[in-house]
Amino acid sequence: MSFSRYVDLSKASFWESVAVTALAPTIWNIVARKEYKDQTVSKVFGGNRTLGAYAMAAWIFGFSTYRDMVFKNACDDQVSVMNDGNRSLLQVIGYSLLSVGTVFVGSSFARLGITGTFLGDYFGILMDEMVTGFPFNVLSHPMYVGATMNFLGLASLSGSVAGALLTAWVGIVYYISSTFYEGPFTAMIYEEKAKKEKQQ
């Protein structure tokens, strides 16, 4: 199998997916941190942090949907490895990944709710206690793991080697975002909350 045949790096759609994948968490982390420090988003809504949090959630959801469309377009824009000999296998793999990934994403959302999922803690909307039930008792970041599985599932259903490569990029971006940015900053927010409660 020729790599260059199935991964055409001259396709603009491929690099658009690379860029949008990296931009999504970069932008929302920058904006969320600005909100935490200066209430940048809330000020747009007259200081209402709840409205600000829901506006942020809507933007993240919208941008993520756009990112998913760009990814799918990048997969469809490449030569597929799917043929009559491997079609069934690729479909089984694809639908299996999508099923498990959707369970992780859906159950994470059910546990966290809108504000818990979409950085509401940066707006001062904190959960009473750490969520430890499924899927958080299985994975540290089930939302990101599930989303990555969904991307790989879509790539498999498209028979896209480029899609698998882009999925690896998604995983790297999510890992960096959760490990070095969101995770530590969220932990700091809850540590500050705990200190304030002790002082009361």
Side-chain angles (χ1 to χ4, degrees), residues 112-144:
L112 298 174
I114 294 176
T115 55
T117 299
F118 297 111
L119 306 179
D121 38 16
Y122 290 66
F123 289 78
I125 304 173
L126 306 180
M127 305 195 74
D128 294 331
E129 57 186 9
M130 184 177 178
V131 177
T132 56
F134 182 84
F136 293 92
N137 58 348
V138 177
L139 296 166
S140 297
H141 302 285
M143 183 75 73
Y144 283 160

PDB file of all heavy atoms in Angstrom, residues 112-144:
ATOM      1  N   LEU A 112     -21.941  15.290  33.866  1.00  0.00           N
ATOM      2  CA  LEU A 112     -21.447  16.654  34.075  1.00  0.00           C
ATOM      3  C   LEU A 112     -22.477  17.745  33.786  1.00  0.00           C
ATOM      4  O   LEU A 112     -22.404  18.834  34.354  1.00  0.00           O
ATOM      5  CB  LEU A 112     -20.208  16.895  33.199  1.00  0.00           C
ATOM      6  CG  LEU A 112     -18.996  15.999  33.472  1.00  0.00           C
ATOM      7  CD1 LEU A 112     -17.908  16.264  32.432  1.00  0.00           C
ATOM      8  CD2 LEU A 112     -18.455  16.240  34.877  1.00  0.00           C
ATOM      9  N   GLY A 113     -23.426  17.456  32.907  1.00  0.00           N
ATOM     10  CA  GLY A 113     -24.361  18.496  32.510  1.00  0.00           C
ATOM     11  C   GLY A 113     -23.705  19.490  31.552  1.00  0.00           C
ATOM     12  O   GLY A 113     -22.529  19.353  31.198  1.00  0.00           O
ATOM     13  N   ILE A 114     -24.455  20.502  31.164  1.00  0.00           N
ATOM     14  CA  ILE A 114     -23.951  21.468  30.182  1.00  0.00           C
ATOM     15  C   ILE A 114     -22.763  22.248  30.730  1.00  0.00           C
ATOM     16  O   ILE A 114     -21.703  22.324  30.100  1.00  0.00           O
ATOM     17  CB  ILE A 114     -25.075  22.429  29.738  1.00  0.00           C
ATOM     18  CG1 ILE A 114     -26.148  21.663  28.964  1.00  0.00           C
ATOM     19  CG2 ILE A 114     -24.500  23.558  28.872  1.00  0.00           C
ATOM     20  CD1 ILE A 114     -27.339  22.493  28.561  1.00  0.00           C
ATOM     21  N   THR A 115     -22.938  22.853  31.892  1.00  0.00           N
ATOM     22  CA  THR A 115     -21.860  23.701  32.422  1.00  0.00           C
ATOM     23  C   THR A 115     -20.653  22.883  32.883  1.00  0.00           C
ATOM     24  O   THR A 115     -19.515  23.337  32.781  1.00  0.00           O
ATOM     25  CB  THR A 115     -22.367  24.578  33.578  1.00  0.00           C
ATOM     26  OG1 THR A 115     -22.962  23.739  34.585  1.00  0.00           O
ATOM     27  CG2 THR A 115     -23.391  25.578  33.085  1.00  0.00           C
ATOM     28  N   GLY A 116     -20.887  21.674  33.354  1.00  0.00           N
ATOM     29  CA  GLY A 116     -19.773  20.831  33.761  1.00  0.00           C
ATOM     30  C   GLY A 116     -18.960  20.350  32.574  1.00  0.00           C
ATOM     31  O   GLY A 116     -17.746  20.177  32.656  1.00  0.00           O
ATOM     32  N   THR A 117     -19.642  20.163  31.459  1.00  0.00           N
ATOM     33  CA  THR A 117     -18.962  19.706  30.241  1.00  0.00           C
ATOM     34  C   THR A 117     -18.219  20.839  29.553  1.00  0.00           C
ATOM     35  O   THR A 117     -17.085  20.676  29.102  1.00  0.00           O
ATOM     36  CB  THR A 117     -19.985  19.110  29.256  1.00  0.00           C
ATOM     37  OG1 THR A 117     -20.636  17.992  29.864  1.00  0.00           O
ATOM     38  CG2 THR A 117     -19.313  18.662  27.968  1.00  0.00           C
ATOM     39  N   PHE A 118     -18.855  22.006  29.501  1.00  0.00           N
ATOM     40  CA  PHE A 118     -18.318  23.108  28.697  1.00  0.00           C
ATOM     41  C   PHE A 118     -17.691  24.219  29.540  1.00  0.00           C
ATOM     42  O   PHE A 118     -18.002  25.410  29.374  1.00  0.00           O
ATOM     43  CB  PHE A 118     -19.415  23.670  27.797  1.00  0.00           C
ATOM     44  CG  PHE A 118     -19.945  22.670  26.795  1.00  0.00           C
ATOM     45  CD1 PHE A 118     -21.238  22.175  26.909  1.00  0.00           C
ATOM     46  CD2 PHE A 118     -19.155  22.217  25.753  1.00  0.00           C
ATOM     47  CE1 PHE A 118     -21.735  21.262  25.990  1.00  0.00           C
ATOM     48  CE2 PHE A 118     -19.644  21.302  24.832  1.00  0.00           C
ATOM     49  CZ  PHE A 118     -20.933  20.812  24.950  1.00  0.00           C
ATOM     50  N   LEU A 119     -16.811  23.826  30.469  1.00  0.00           N
ATOM     51  CA  LEU A 119     -15.965  24.775  31.210  1.00  0.00           C
ATOM     52  C   LEU A 119     -16.735  25.763  32.070  1.00  0.00           C
ATOM     53  O   LEU A 119     -16.285  26.893  32.291  1.00  0.00           O
ATOM     54  CB  LEU A 119     -15.048  25.541  30.231  1.00  0.00           C
ATOM     55  CG  LEU A 119     -14.182  24.672  29.307  1.00  0.00           C
ATOM     56  CD1 LEU A 119     -13.346  25.555  28.385  1.00  0.00           C
ATOM     57  CD2 LEU A 119     -13.285  23.744  30.114  1.00  0.00           C
ATOM     58  N   GLY A 120     -17.878  25.338  32.586  1.00  0.00           N
ATOM     59  CA  GLY A 120     -18.639  26.222  33.458  1.00  0.00           C
ATOM     60  C   GLY A 120     -17.898  26.576  34.736  1.00  0.00           C
ATOM     61  O   GLY A 120     -18.159  27.625  35.336  1.00  0.00           O
ATOM     62  N   ASP A 121     -16.960  25.738  35.161  1.00  0.00           N
ATOM     63  CA  ASP A 121     -16.205  26.037  36.384  1.00  0.00           C
ATOM     64  C   ASP A 121     -15.351  27.292  36.238  1.00  0.00           C
ATOM     65  O   ASP A 121     -15.052  27.960  37.219  1.00  0.00           O
ATOM     66  CB  ASP A 121     -15.347  24.841  36.815  1.00  0.00           C
ATOM     67  CG  ASP A 121     -14.726  24.090  35.662  1.00  0.00           C
ATOM     68  OD1 ASP A 121     -14.694  24.627  34.541  1.00  0.00           O
ATOM     69  OD2 ASP A 121     -14.272  22.949  35.874  1.00  0.00           O
ATOM     70  N   TYR A 122     -14.982  27.633  35.019  1.00  0.00           N
ATOM     71  CA  TYR A 122     -14.228  28.865  34.785  1.00  0.00           C
ATOM     72  C   TYR A 122     -15.110  30.095  34.995  1.00  0.00           C
ATOM     73  O   TYR A 122     -14.612  31.207  35.143  1.00  0.00           O
ATOM     74  CB  TYR A 122     -13.662  28.892  33.368  1.00  0.00           C
ATOM     75  CG  TYR A 122     -12.535  27.904  33.124  1.00  0.00           C
ATOM     76  CD1 TYR A 122     -12.766  26.522  33.162  1.00  0.00           C
ATOM     77  CD2 TYR A 122     -11.256  28.337  32.842  1.00  0.00           C
ATOM     78  CE1 TYR A 122     -11.746  25.615  32.941  1.00  0.00           C
ATOM     79  CE2 TYR A 122     -10.229  27.434  32.610  1.00  0.00           C
ATOM     80  CZ  TYR A 122     -10.482  26.079  32.659  1.00  0.00           C
ATOM     81  OH  TYR A 122      -9.466  25.185  32.437  1.00  0.00           O
ATOM     82  N   PHE A 123     -16.418  29.853  34.997  1.00  0.00           N
ATOM     83  CA  PHE A 123     -17.391  30.925  35.215  1.00  0.00           C
ATOM     84  C   PHE A 123     -17.879  30.944  36.659  1.00  0.00           C
ATOM     85  O   PHE A 123     -18.815  31.653  36.997  1.00  0.00           O
ATOM     86  CB  PHE A 123     -18.592  30.751  34.273  1.00  0.00           C
ATOM     87  CG  PHE A 123     -18.281  31.029  32.825  1.00  0.00           C
ATOM     88  CD1 PHE A 123     -17.619  30.085  32.051  1.00  0.00           C
ATOM     89  CD2 PHE A 123     -18.647  32.225  32.231  1.00  0.00           C
ATOM     90  CE1 PHE A 123     -17.330  30.325  30.723  1.00  0.00           C
ATOM     91  CE2 PHE A 123     -18.365  32.475  30.910  1.00  0.00           C
ATOM     92  CZ  PHE A 123     -17.701  31.527  30.144  1.00  0.00           C
ATOM     93  N   GLY A 124     -17.259  30.134  37.503  1.00  0.00           N
ATOM     94  CA  GLY A 124     -17.665  30.075  38.898  1.00  0.00           C
ATOM     95  C   GLY A 124     -18.798  29.112  39.165  1.00  0.00           C
ATOM     96  O   GLY A 124     -19.313  29.058  40.283  1.00  0.00           O
ATOM     97  N   ILE A 125     -19.194  28.354  38.149  1.00  0.00           N
ATOM     98  CA  ILE A 125     -20.267  27.369  38.330  1.00  0.00           C
ATOM     99  C   ILE A 125     -19.598  26.031  38.619  1.00  0.00           C
ATOM    100  O   ILE A 125     -19.232  25.282  37.705  1.00  0.00           O
ATOM    101  CB  ILE A 125     -21.165  27.284  37.083  1.00  0.00           C
ATOM    102  CG1 ILE A 125     -21.726  28.669  36.739  1.00  0.00           C
ATOM    103  CG2 ILE A 125     -22.293  26.280  37.297  1.00  0.00           C
ATOM    104  CD1 ILE A 125     -22.487  28.716  35.424  1.00  0.00           C
ATOM    105  N   LEU A 126     -19.425  25.735  39.891  1.00  0.00           N
ATOM    106  CA  LEU A 126     -18.659  24.561  40.295  1.00  0.00           C
ATOM    107  C   LEU A 126     -19.574  23.423  40.739  1.00  0.00           C
ATOM    108  O   LEU A 126     -20.669  23.646  41.256  1.00  0.00           O
ATOM    109  CB  LEU A 126     -17.712  24.927  41.434  1.00  0.00           C
ATOM    110  CG  LEU A 126     -16.776  26.115  41.183  1.00  0.00           C
ATOM    111  CD1 LEU A 126     -15.889  26.352  42.403  1.00  0.00           C
ATOM    112  CD2 LEU A 126     -15.928  25.900  39.947  1.00  0.00           C
ATOM    113  N   MET A 127     -19.103  22.220  40.549  1.00  0.00           N
ATOM    114  CA  MET A 127     -19.836  21.051  41.011  1.00  0.00           C
ATOM    115  C   MET A 127     -19.576  20.876  42.503  1.00  0.00           C
ATOM    116  O   MET A 127     -18.521  21.285  43.018  1.00  0.00           O
ATOM    117  CB  MET A 127     -19.401  19.818  40.227  1.00  0.00           C
ATOM    118  CG  MET A 127     -19.542  19.998  38.715  1.00  0.00           C
ATOM    119  SD  MET A 127     -19.452  18.457  37.795  1.00  0.00           S
ATOM    120  CE  MET A 127     -21.045  17.733  38.145  1.00  0.00           C
ATOM    121  N   ASP A 128     -20.533  20.285  43.202  1.00  0.00           N
ATOM    122  CA  ASP A 128     -20.410  20.126  44.650  1.00  0.00           C
ATOM    123  C   ASP A 128     -19.264  19.202  45.032  1.00  0.00           C
ATOM    124  O   ASP A 128     -18.589  19.401  46.034  1.00  0.00           O
ATOM    125  CB  ASP A 128     -21.721  19.597  45.240  1.00  0.00           C
ATOM    126  CG  ASP A 128     -22.851  20.608  45.093  1.00  0.00           C
ATOM    127  OD1 ASP A 128     -22.548  21.821  45.065  1.00  0.00           O
ATOM    128  OD2 ASP A 128     -24.012  20.190  44.992  1.00  0.00           O
ATOM    129  N   GLU A 129     -19.043  18.179  44.235  1.00  0.00           N
ATOM    130  CA  GLU A 129     -17.978  17.235  44.510  1.00  0.00           C
ATOM    131  C   GLU A 129     -17.476  16.611  43.218  1.00  0.00           C
ATOM    132  O   GLU A 129     -18.145  16.673  42.185  1.00  0.00           O
ATOM    133  CB  GLU A 129     -18.457  16.128  45.459  1.00  0.00           C
ATOM    134  CG  GLU A 129     -19.662  15.364  44.944  1.00  0.00           C
ATOM    135  CD  GLU A 129     -20.197  14.382  45.960  1.00  0.00           C
ATOM    136  OE1 GLU A 129     -19.732  14.420  47.106  1.00  0.00           O
ATOM    137  OE2 GLU A 129     -21.062  13.574  45.593  1.00  0.00           O
ATOM    138  N   MET A 130     -16.332  16.002  43.298  1.00  0.00           N
ATOM    139  CA  MET A 130     -15.724  15.377  42.129  1.00  0.00           C
ATOM    140  C   MET A 130     -16.579  14.214  41.638  1.00  0.00           C
ATOM    141  O   MET A 130     -17.071  13.413  42.430  1.00  0.00           O
ATOM    142  CB  MET A 130     -14.325  14.881  42.491  1.00  0.00           C
ATOM    143  CG  MET A 130     -13.559  14.288  41.339  1.00  0.00           C
ATOM    144  SD  MET A 130     -11.874  13.818  41.846  1.00  0.00           S
ATOM    145  CE  MET A 130     -11.257  13.124  40.320  1.00  0.00           C
ATOM    146  N   VAL A 131     -16.766  14.138  40.325  1.00  0.00           N
ATOM    147  CA  VAL A 131     -17.553  13.058  39.746  1.00  0.00           C
ATOM    148  C   VAL A 131     -16.684  11.807  39.650  1.00  0.00           C
ATOM    149  O   VAL A 131     -15.610  11.825  39.052  1.00  0.00           O
ATOM    150  CB  VAL A 131     -18.058  13.447  38.338  1.00  0.00           C
ATOM    151  CG1 VAL A 131     -18.827  12.281  37.718  1.00  0.00           C
ATOM    152  CG2 VAL A 131     -18.949  14.681  38.420  1.00  0.00           C
ATOM    153  N   THR A 132     -17.147  10.718  40.251  1.00  0.00           N
ATOM    154  CA  THR A 132     -16.347   9.487  40.272  1.00  0.00           C
ATOM    155  C   THR A 132     -17.072   8.292  39.660  1.00  0.00           C
ATOM    156  O   THR A 132     -16.484   7.227  39.487  1.00  0.00           O
ATOM    157  CB  THR A 132     -15.957   9.129  41.721  1.00  0.00           C
ATOM    158  OG1 THR A 132     -17.154   9.026  42.517  1.00  0.00           O
ATOM    159  CG2 THR A 132     -15.042  10.194  42.311  1.00  0.00           C
ATOM    160  N   GLY A 133     -18.360   8.463  39.328  1.00  0.00           N
ATOM    161  CA  GLY A 133     -19.110   7.365  38.730  1.00  0.00           C
ATOM    162  C   GLY A 133     -18.744   7.158  37.267  1.00  0.00           C
ATOM    163  O   GLY A 133     -17.981   7.925  36.681  1.00  0.00           O
ATOM    164  N   PHE A 134     -19.293   6.096  36.668  1.00  0.00           N
ATOM    165  CA  PHE A 134     -19.021   5.799  35.264  1.00  0.00           C
ATOM    166  C   PHE A 134     -19.381   6.993  34.383  1.00  0.00           C
ATOM    167  O   PHE A 134     -20.415   7.622  34.594  1.00  0.00           O
ATOM    168  CB  PHE A 134     -19.835   4.577  34.824  1.00  0.00           C
ATOM    169  CG  PHE A 134     -19.569   4.178  33.389  1.00  0.00           C
ATOM    170  CD1 PHE A 134     -18.485   3.374  33.077  1.00  0.00           C
ATOM    171  CD2 PHE A 134     -20.388   4.628  32.369  1.00  0.00           C
ATOM    172  CE1 PHE A 134     -18.231   3.019  31.754  1.00  0.00           C
ATOM    173  CE2 PHE A 134     -20.144   4.282  31.047  1.00  0.00           C
ATOM    174  CZ  PHE A 134     -19.056   3.469  30.744  1.00  0.00           C
ATOM    175  N   PRO A 135     -18.544   7.340  33.426  1.00  0.00           N
ATOM    176  CA  PRO A 135     -17.331   6.652  32.955  1.00  0.00           C
ATOM    177  C   PRO A 135     -16.035   7.157  33.600  1.00  0.00           C
ATOM    178  O   PRO A 135     -14.952   6.762  33.199  1.00  0.00           O
ATOM    179  CB  PRO A 135     -17.332   6.988  31.465  1.00  0.00           C
ATOM    180  CG  PRO A 135     -17.891   8.384  31.421  1.00  0.00           C
ATOM    181  CD  PRO A 135     -18.947   8.432  32.507  1.00  0.00           C
ATOM    182  N   PHE A 136     -16.165   8.028  34.604  1.00  0.00           N
ATOM    183  CA  PHE A 136     -14.971   8.612  35.214  1.00  0.00           C
ATOM    184  C   PHE A 136     -14.236   7.641  36.134  1.00  0.00           C
ATOM    185  O   PHE A 136     -13.109   7.907  36.534  1.00  0.00           O
ATOM    186  CB  PHE A 136     -15.352   9.892  35.972  1.00  0.00           C
ATOM    187  CG  PHE A 136     -15.812  10.981  35.051  1.00  0.00           C
ATOM    188  CD1 PHE A 136     -17.159  11.134  34.741  1.00  0.00           C
ATOM    189  CD2 PHE A 136     -14.902  11.844  34.465  1.00  0.00           C
ATOM    190  CE1 PHE A 136     -17.584  12.118  33.876  1.00  0.00           C
ATOM    191  CE2 PHE A 136     -15.320  12.835  33.598  1.00  0.00           C
ATOM    192  CZ  PHE A 136     -16.666  12.971  33.298  1.00  0.00           C
ATOM    193  N   ASN A 137     -14.876   6.521  36.459  1.00  0.00           N
ATOM    194  CA  ASN A 137     -14.189   5.482  37.226  1.00  0.00           C
ATOM    195  C   ASN A 137     -13.421   4.528  36.305  1.00  0.00           C
ATOM    196  O   ASN A 137     -12.732   3.624  36.763  1.00  0.00           O
ATOM    197  CB  ASN A 137     -15.186   4.694  38.084  1.00  0.00           C
ATOM    198  CG  ASN A 137     -16.273   4.039  37.256  1.00  0.00           C
ATOM    199  OD1 ASN A 137     -16.443   4.322  36.077  1.00  0.00           O
ATOM    200  ND2 ASN A 137     -17.031   3.157  37.882  1.00  0.00           N
ATOM    201  N   VAL A 138     -13.563   4.745  34.994  1.00  0.00           N
ATOM    202  CA  VAL A 138     -12.864   3.930  33.998  1.00  0.00           C
ATOM    203  C   VAL A 138     -11.755   4.718  33.317  1.00  0.00           C
ATOM    204  O   VAL A 138     -10.660   4.201  33.084  1.00  0.00           O
ATOM    205  CB  VAL A 138     -13.861   3.410  32.935  1.00  0.00           C
ATOM    206  CG1 VAL A 138     -13.129   2.617  31.854  1.00  0.00           C
ATOM    207  CG2 VAL A 138     -14.942   2.570  33.580  1.00  0.00           C
ATOM    208  N   LEU A 139     -12.047   5.976  33.019  1.00  0.00           N
ATOM    209  CA  LEU A 139     -11.090   6.841  32.317  1.00  0.00           C
ATOM    210  C   LEU A 139     -11.019   8.204  32.993  1.00  0.00           C
ATOM    211  O   LEU A 139     -12.016   8.689  33.531  1.00  0.00           O
ATOM    212  CB  LEU A 139     -11.526   7.037  30.859  1.00  0.00           C
ATOM    213  CG  LEU A 139     -11.554   5.793  29.960  1.00  0.00           C
ATOM    214  CD1 LEU A 139     -12.316   6.102  28.682  1.00  0.00           C
ATOM    215  CD2 LEU A 139     -10.143   5.328  29.645  1.00  0.00           C
ATOM    216  N   SER A 140      -9.873   8.828  32.940  1.00  0.00           N
ATOM    217  CA  SER A 140      -9.716  10.169  33.517  1.00  0.00           C
ATOM    218  C   SER A 140     -10.404  11.226  32.662  1.00  0.00           C
ATOM    219  O   SER A 140     -10.968  12.180  33.177  1.00  0.00           O
ATOM    220  CB  SER A 140      -8.222  10.513  33.653  1.00  0.00           C
ATOM    221  OG  SER A 140      -7.583   9.626  34.530  1.00  0.00           O
ATOM    222  N   HIS A 141     -10.364  11.033  31.350  1.00  0.00           N
ATOM    223  CA  HIS A 141     -10.954  12.005  30.429  1.00  0.00           C
ATOM    224  C   HIS A 141     -11.829  11.272  29.400  1.00  0.00           C
ATOM    225  O   HIS A 141     -11.501  11.226  28.205  1.00  0.00           O
ATOM    226  CB  HIS A 141      -9.859  12.809  29.723  1.00  0.00           C
ATOM    227  CG  HIS A 141      -8.948  13.532  30.659  1.00  0.00           C
ATOM    228  ND1 HIS A 141      -9.338  14.679  31.333  1.00  0.00           N
ATOM    229  CD2 HIS A 141      -7.679  13.269  31.060  1.00  0.00           C
ATOM    230  CE1 HIS A 141      -8.337  15.094  32.088  1.00  0.00           C
ATOM    231  NE2 HIS A 141      -7.332  14.257  31.954  1.00  0.00           N
ATOM    232  N   PRO A 142     -12.941  10.691  29.855  1.00  0.00           N
ATOM    233  CA  PRO A 142     -13.773   9.881  28.957  1.00  0.00           C
ATOM    234  C   PRO A 142     -14.382  10.659  27.800  1.00  0.00           C
ATOM    235  O   PRO A 142     -14.599  10.089  26.728  1.00  0.00           O
ATOM    236  CB  PRO A 142     -14.860   9.343  29.894  1.00  0.00           C
ATOM    237  CG  PRO A 142     -14.892  10.303  31.038  1.00  0.00           C
ATOM    238  CD  PRO A 142     -13.484  10.743  31.223  1.00  0.00           C
ATOM    239  N   MET A 143     -14.645  11.956  28.001  1.00  0.00           N
ATOM    240  CA  MET A 143     -15.200  12.756  26.916  1.00  0.00           C
ATOM    241  C   MET A 143     -14.216  12.834  25.754  1.00  0.00           C
ATOM    242  O   MET A 143     -14.585  12.630  24.584  1.00  0.00           O
ATOM    243  CB  MET A 143     -15.538  14.162  27.415  1.00  0.00           C
ATOM    244  CG  MET A 143     -16.187  15.065  26.378  1.00  0.00           C
ATOM    245  SD  MET A 143     -17.925  14.685  26.038  1.00  0.00           S
ATOM    246  CE  MET A 143     -18.693  15.304  27.532  1.00  0.00           C
ATOM    247  N   TYR A 144     -12.967  13.091  26.057  1.00  0.00           N
ATOM    248  CA  TYR A 144     -11.957  13.220  25.017  1.00  0.00           C
ATOM    249  C   TYR A 144     -11.615  11.863  24.401  1.00  0.00           C
ATOM    250  O   TYR A 144     -11.427  11.753  23.184  1.00  0.00           O
ATOM    251  CB  TYR A 144     -10.694  13.870  25.586  1.00  0.00           C
ATOM    252  CG  TYR A 144     -10.805  15.371  25.777  1.00  0.00           C
ATOM    253  CD1 TYR A 144      -9.959  16.045  26.639  1.00  0.00           C
ATOM    254  CD2 TYR A 144     -11.755  16.111  25.085  1.00  0.00           C
ATOM    255  CE1 TYR A 144     -10.046  17.423  26.815  1.00  0.00           C
ATOM    256  CE2 TYR A 144     -11.872  17.477  25.255  1.00  0.00           C
ATOM    257  CZ  TYR A 144     -11.008  18.132  26.113  1.00  0.00           C
ATOM    258  OH  TYR A 144     -11.109  19.494  26.279  1.00  0.00           O
TER     259      TYR A 144
END
